[in-house]
Amino acid sequence: MNVIETKNLTKFYGKTRGIKNLNLTVKEGEFFGFIGPNGAGKSTAIRTLMGLIAPTSGEASVLGLPLGQCREYLRDVGYLPSEAAFYNDMKVRELISYSAKLRGVDCSSEADRLCSCLELDTSKRIDSLSLGNRKKVGIVCAMQHRPKLYIMDEPTSGLDPLMQKEFFRLLRQRQQEGATVFFSSHVLSEVQHNCTRAAIIREGSIVAEGSIDELSGTSAKRVVLHGVKEIPAGIDGRSVVSGDDSVSFLYQGDIKLLLRELSSLPVKDVNISDPELEEIFMHYYQQEGR
Amino acid sequence: MLKTLLKKQMMELGAFLYQSGKEGKRRSKTSTVMYALLMVYSIVMVGWIFWLAADALCEPLVSADLGWLYFAMFGISGTVVGVIGSIFTTYSGLYRAKDNELLLAMPVPPSKLLFSRMTVIYLMSLIFTAVTTLPAAMVYFRTTGSAASLAAGLPVAAMIALIALSLSCILGWLIGLVSVRIKGRGKNAIIIILTLAFLGGYYYGYSKISTYLQLLIAGGQQIAGTIKKVLYPMYQMGKASEGSFLSLLIFALMSAGFFAIIYTLVSRSFMKIALTKTAPPKSRYKGKNMKKASVMKALLRKESMRFTGSSVYMLNCGLGTVMLIVTGAAVVIKSESLLALAQLAEGMLPAGTSALPLIGAAVVGFIASMNDISAPSVSLEGSSIWVVQSAPVSSWQILKSKILFHCIVSVPPALICSACIISVIKPVAADGILMMLFSAAVVFLYAVMGLAANLKMPNLKWSNETVVIKQSFSVLISLFGGWAVIIVLSVIYFVLGNIVRPVVYLACATAAIFAAAAGITLWIRKKGTEIFRFL
């Protein structure tokens, strides 16, 4: 079952592009990463799925229900916005309880467990919390009712590395219990380490989607040549990095052509490997002049 | 769910009474009592004005068997007061609340959220309406001894507040629709024009009230017939106030029906308006030479952007600018009748040479106090205050820019108004110059007074800017403090008028105001900057 599905989903703010013909599929039980730099359209896509923005055109469904019925599926969604606006005059436990009451459920024991895992002091007032602790409050509010789907917009920003680890542990636990996780990030390593699948968004559209292995093993290869400082003239390489006695570049094309070109150069050593997700990401972003 | 939402809304509504805006902690009992007393005093004072009006109208209208018309008039007044009292909160409270997105991302039905927000506005309307209609009911009871009319007072006020809420929501909805379609500062301009047109219409009607009263006395029955036809609900409201249970039922059904229509209309577009975030249009960067600007120019620009970027700020704290210019124009246009009125007022002052320049200066001073731009300016920095605190500029430069901006917006219209008054009353040169100086001095005083009050009582933890613009103590001090300055100066003149010539008094008053303003400025520079640095 597709938990999230969008078909040509488009959102323009007047003449400003938010997302354009976004086609995305997230299957049940997946841990899905949504990667893109600032302004690529990640938050717009997420806010549209949450029913917080009306799309300009296109279709989308969440948990099998169309966007028009978002009030129904929101019961089963745990949402963490990138910048949550909380009530500064409330205490942490009051806010968590308020969030639960608005969902009409009693999840105090789960809230206590999550607060304990995330080392969150519930007696403090919201306005006295640091950015990281505010983020933890948002995480507890989004997870305490044990939803079927987690939609999280840059959830780890502000969290220290230990808490990031704990947060992903909690999410993986939920995923193993059958929940689906969809989160946006521009930290590629966390997507690579935690996700089963990912999509790369560029200027409002998906430019690559697949499993992490598929994305990493895309036809692009990282080529490192020792003994030369420049890439061969007939080779179209990207992300070129020149060293004292070496050159490294991403190559996407006929491997025979590459080998033929290399044979005519004074190459001492060659290393061809699958690039890191980060390199793939950069590869897509450097296309079309970026 | 609704109970939870309502509880939160009620807590926010009542928080200003028992919670310190600065620390968010509970106020001391003394402070809470002082706040409560201030509120009660304000309500009693407004109620007293309507009591006087009711006292004048009740007897003649009851004698003419037009008791219902008497109530209908106060019902209409109550509706207008209720709308005016809640109009600014409606748009910001319904559509621009910071937690709209937080709540709408949860399975909270928008209708329940809207209802909870409307309930708060309704309670505000009810207070404003009751202040108008309850004195009328009490005066009627004193005149006629009708206990039924007294008992009907509160339910009728509740129904009128519902009508006021509905009207207020219509305007808030229109503003919301405008803001969805128009972006940037053009939106603020339209909101201000809409609101000023509404207020202008209200004040025009208010200024014609004596004419209407004369007409009412001359042709009461005829007017009553017209109101009965044109404003049938108000006829029923009048009859209900007299004690008719059937009319109370009809009026209740009418007001509830009207509210239901408006609620349906507003709820249909609530999500769209509440969640519309207009992105600024993309602009292509055009390379051009950088212009070197002074620090003060940059800070003034920041203050100006803040002011013109918020229609709520402009309307609540900058209305004096419009009023000063309108008053100046009105003085010139209605010079003859106003001069006669001023001379009448002059006759009540201690004997001596012409006191018209004093009256003119007092008028300008009174209206200029409607501008309290500096009073919420520190609070409006909100959680972003660190931006200016960490900028490579001194605290004094930041605070000076706030004073200067208040003066830039307020001094020119005050001078224009003074010039208009001078052109009509034609005082001697010394009086004219002093009037102009007084105008500038009094604006300067209001600017520093508001800023000092805000430094002492800042609120940087607001979730809705309306809270600091409309409900903060510094704004209250600035507004009432301005009036108090003029009242104190007038009282002193009443005492000393026989021994001090008006021109001498005006010179002394101007000097005293300048001295007071300079003193407060010195305090801001020495202590205020320290307070600001550690906010």
Side-chain angles (χ1 to χ4, degrees), chain A residues 23-42:
Chain A
N23 291 300
L24 190 69
T25 307
V26 180
K27 292 187 174 65
E28 192 175 7
E30 277 187 339
F31 206 122
F32 196 96
F34 194 39
I35 322 163
N38 298 333
K42 297 189 299 292

Side-chain angles (χ1 to χ4, degrees), chain A residues 90-163:
Chain A
M90 272 188 171
K91 286 185 176 171
V92 171
R93 66 166 165 270
E94 289 171 341
L95 182 70
I96 292 170
S97 161
Y98 179 64
S99 172
K101 279 181 185 170
L102 289 177
R103 291 185 177 279
V105 288
D106 177 16
C107 27
S108 50
S109 60
E110 182 59 14
D112 287 345
R113 194 183 74 81
L114 289 167
C115 288
S116 166
C117 291
L118 295 169
E119 297 170 15
L120 185 61
D121 183 351
T122 58
S123 64
K124 285 195 170 174
R125 277 168 55 100
I126 299 291
D127 56 6
S128 70
L129 299 180
S130 64
L131 175 67
N133 281 323
R134 278 172 185 246
K135 193 64 120 184
K136 288 181 195 173
V137 176
I139 291 170
V140 175
C141 289
M143 294 183 77
Q144 63 175 339
H145 58 291
R146 304 186 79 88
K148 290 179 187 168
L149 171 64
Y150 294 85
I151 297 182
M152 301 189 152
D153 197 355
E154 297 182 12
T156 53
S157 62
L159 292 182
D160 63 52
L162 284 176
M163 277 304 133

Side-chain angles (χ1 to χ4, degrees), chain B residues 94-288:
Chain B
L94 287 186
Y95 301 115
R96 293 281 77 95
K98 271 190 177 178
D99 59 349
N100 270 348
E101 189 162 319
L102 177 79
L103 296 172
L104 289 170
M106 285 200 255
V108 175
S111 55
K112 285 188 180 173
L113 179 60
L114 182 65
F115 186 82
S116 70
R117 299 229 192 278
M118 278 185 167
T119 305
V120 174
I121 301 166
Y122 172 74
L123 288 176
M124 281 180 70
S125 293
L126 182 61
I127 293 169
F128 284 107
T129 305
V131 166
T132 316
T133 56
L134 288 186
M138 285 191 265
V139 169
Y140 187 83
F141 172 69
R142 194 194 62 183
T143 309
T144 63
S146 164
S149 70
L150 195 64
L154 205 57
V156 167
M159 294 304 135
I160 293 171
L162 203 58
I163 294 175
L165 169 71
S166 307
L167 293 173
S168 196
C169 284
I170 292 176
L171 196 71
W173 178 69
L174 285 174
I175 292 171
L177 283 182
V178 166
S179 66
V180 167
R181 282 166 174 75
I182 300 165
K183 298 171 187 72
R185 280 160 212 280
K187 174 180 78 182
N188 285 331
I190 288 180
I191 290 171
I192 284 176
I193 289 166
L194 269 177
T195 315
L196 285 180
F198 181 83
L199 289 176
Y202 170 73
Y203 282 118
Y204 178 77
Y206 192 77
S207 68
K208 295 276 177 188
I209 204 149
S210 59
T211 316
Y212 296 150
L213 281 176
Q214 281 169 2
L215 281 170
L216 186 70
I217 292 160
Q221 294 292 352
Q222 200 183 346
I223 289 167
T226 311
I227 289 182
K228 205 168 161 180
K229 277 184 194 168
V230 181
L231 293 170
Y232 184 70
M234 283 301 156
Y235 166 70
Q236 289 298 343
M237 178 256 142
K239 296 297 280 179
S241 298
E242 278 188 309
S244 162
F245 181 73
L246 182 65
S247 291
L248 182 65
L249 199 66
I250 294 170
F251 182 59
L253 284 173
M254 281 176 163
S255 45
F258 182 48
F259 174 72
I261 293 167
I262 300 303
Y263 179 77
T264 311
L265 189 73
V266 173
S267 62
R268 279 188 181 173
S269 56
F270 175 65
M271 280 281 284
K272 189 181 177 190
I273 299 173
L275 295 172
T276 295
K277 281 188 179 173
T278 49
K282 269 194 176 176
S283 56
R284 197 176 287 273
Y285 176 73
K286 286 178 190 166
K288 53 187 174 186

